[in-house]
Amino acid sequence: MLTVDFSRFPLAPGDRVLDLGCGAGRHAFECYRRGAQVVALDQNGEEIREVAKWFAAMKEAGEAPAGATATAMEGDALALPFPDESFDVVIISEVMEHIPDDKGVLAEMVRVLKPGGRIAVTVPRYGPEKVCWALSDAYHEVEGGHIRIYKADELLAKMREAGLKPYGTHHAHALHSPYWWLKCAFGVDNDKALPVRAYHKLLVWDIMKKPLATRLAEQLLNPVVGKSFVAYATKPHLPKAAAAQGTSAVAGAAQA
């Protein structure tokens, strides 16, 4: 189940991609299938080991085209182990709401992104997330849980402040909002409640079968109750004058 819409976020074979906070690896796997050179990074070592196993299985099954590469590694989003301007594409999906220093994460992503590169950020949407918080303290008051709820304008402002230029937004996963409301209402750890079990079966059926009826329903409902807010942006090239000034400053410092 992808949150990033690759029809709005073009990916070319050979693009170097960082999936930051990759979790179970869903976006990293899709980028690998599309021929990218993927680095999936997460602080959770157990998940990274699973992602590495899936990368190996995909390679063995021939799911990735020639030239595609995939690496899974542990790392800290606030201190990325990569040089400046290392990646053509950065994806961070459902991660920033967990991290106290979200501006620091944005700064690191911008640092490792090449000028002209693209970034996709997804976070829980304000309205549906507010309902979850109202229904259940346990939903967010857990170690590593959600510490903030973003309004769309707030997230876009932080992206601009970090030096990015947003170019598009949308909402996703409307059918998942009621599921999480039910989970919060009956207990986030209570998977035995009949409404929760019944709705979960519906979601699994939808994901596996992709019927036209639910696809259309989700498209209609996404603007209203989409569970995720998705923002796309580019890192602008420096103006020639500014780039030349920066080069002169570096040369002057070296001579001094």
Side-chain angles (χ1 to χ4, degrees):
M1 183 186 73
L2 298 174
T3 307
V4 172
D5 181 352
F6 286 94
S7 69
R8 311 181 196 215
F9 189 66
L11 190 69
D15 275 351
R16 186 162 165 79
V17 178
L18 173 63
D19 185 3
L20 181 55
C22 64
R26 56 201 173 105
H27 288 107
F29 300 148
E30 180 65 20
C31 293
Y32 189 32
R33 290 188 187 97
R34 289 171 178 261
Q37 298 175 11
V38 185
V39 176
L41 183 143
D42 201 286
Q43 67 177 3
N44 187 317
E46 185 176 339
E47 287 197 310
I48 282 298
R49 286 187 287 275
E50 283 299 311
V51 170
K53 290 178 184 177
W54 278 105
F55 278 151
M58 291 172 67
K59 181 177 181 180
E60 185 175 348
E63 290 189 36
T69 62
T71 303
M73 61 186 295
E74 288 185 61
D76 182 354
L78 290 166
L80 295 174
F82 309 111
D84 295 355
E85 302 179 4
S86 299
F87 294 94
D88 303 290
V89 173
V90 177
I91 296 170
I92 184 166
S93 182
E94 311 300 302
V95 173
M96 287 181 56
E97 67 275 10
H98 297 271
I99 301 176
D101 186 8
D102 58 345
K103 290 185 177 181
V105 173
L106 278 168
E108 272 294 86
M109 290 190 292
V110 171
R111 180 184 68 79
V112 301
L113 187 64
K114 296 177 182 178
R118 303 172 304 286
I119 187 167
V121 180
T122 91
V123 297
R125 185 183 186 176
Y126 183 84
E129 186 76 348
K130 264 289 196 183
V131 174
C132 289
W133 282 45
L135 289 172
S136 171
D137 290 337
Y139 171 79
H140 62 96
E141 291 182 357
V142 294
E143 184 177 356
H146 299 182
I147 62 171
R148 70 175 65 82
I149 307 176
Y150 287 101
K151 291 184 177 179
D153 290 346
E154 174 194 1
L155 178 61
L156 292 172
K158 287 185 176 183
M159 292 172 69
R160 292 188 184 98
E161 184 181 344
L164 295 166
K165 185 177 181 181
Y167 69 83
T169 66
H170 64 90
H171 300 97
H173 309 318
L175 296 182
H176 288 250
S177 289
Y179 173 71
W180 282 103
W181 297 338
L182 288 170
K183 289 271 287 182
C184 290
F186 287 93
V188 289
D189 296 320
N190 180 11
D191 293 325
K192 295 182 179 179
L194 179 59
V196 175
R197 286 192 290 116
Y199 202 95
H200 184 262
K201 286 183 179 179
L202 170 66
L203 291 179
V204 171
W205 173 74
D206 173 58
I207 291 170
M208 297 301 294
K209 300 297 184 180
K210 297 181 175 62
L212 179 61
T214 56
R215 295 299 90 205
L216 292 175
E218 187 154 75
Q219 288 178 17
L220 290 171
L221 291 171
N222 273 338
V224 184
V225 292
K227 182 75 171 66
S228 294
F229 173 70
V230 188
Y232 305 109
T234 58
K235 177 179 177 178
H237 290 275
L238 279 174
K240 290 183 179 179
Q245 185 177 359
T247 303
S248 300
V250 171
Q255 291 173 359

